[in-house]
Amino acid sequence: MNDQPATTAEPLADEPTGLLRGVDENGRPWVRVPLEKPIQRADNKYDSVIVRKPHGSDYQGTSLSAVHQADYNALCVVIPRITEPTIHKQDLQRMPSDDLAMISGEVVAFLYTKAQRLELGLTE
């Protein structure tokens, strides 16, 4: 499924990478990350996942620095709280490294300031 979050406003951009970005009705940015290997759950097959920009409480039980360093254990805490469908720790353990890297990279990118994103040539 390539469904966007239920509370999604219009997407901002469909990048050549296949990433689709948007902002929900509450002003929370999100990105749709396509998966190389879809996640199968019962009768549902997910070929992409929505990653929402984390709020402060999403980091509870870990640290910003650990997430910024893409620490696997820290990401296993945060990713289930900000993904749709929810990507559980068990899913992350079975996920191919390229899919894990894409999702993790988007989580880390949400930590950059506007100035840092501009300096790195990242778009929002």
Side-chain angles (χ1 to χ4, degrees):
M1 290 178 167
N2 279 333
D3 296 330
Q4 298 169 9
T7 58
T8 300
E10 287 299 311
L12 296 177
D14 196 353
E15 299 179 3
T17 60
L19 300 176
L20 182 67
R21 298 180 185 280
V23 178
D24 70 17
E25 63 189 20
N26 296 315
R28 189 173 185 179
W30 57 266
V31 60
R32 180 182 52 85
V33 178
L35 300 173
E36 293 293 322
K37 181 182 177 196
I39 295 172
Q40 186 74 41
R41 289 195 187 136
D43 293 336
N44 296 321
K45 181 178 174 182
Y46 302 98
D47 59 4
S48 67
V49 61
I50 300 294
V51 179
R52 292 181 302 275
K53 184 175 185 174
H55 288 176
S57 62
D58 295 323
Y59 297 105
Q60 193 169 22
T62 189
S63 69
L64 287 174
S65 62
V67 173
H68 194 265
Q69 294 172 8
D71 178 79
Y72 174 77
N73 291 317
L75 291 166
C76 284
V77 170
V78 175
I79 290 173
R81 298 174 181 172
I82 61 169
T83 53
E84 188 178 308
T86 301
I87 304 300
H88 302 284
K89 183 176 182 177
Q90 297 84 352
D91 298 317
L92 295 171
Q93 291 171 337
R94 291 188 304 269
M95 189 171 281
S97 59
D98 51 351
D99 287 339
L100 179 60
M102 284 292 293
I103 293 170
S104 300
E106 292 302 322
V107 174
V108 172
F110 280 129
L111 292 173
Y112 294 134
T113 64
K114 287 182 183 181
Q116 288 170 322
R117 286 191 301 272
L118 184 61
E119 186 177 316
L120 294 169
L122 302 174
T123 59
E124 186 163 305

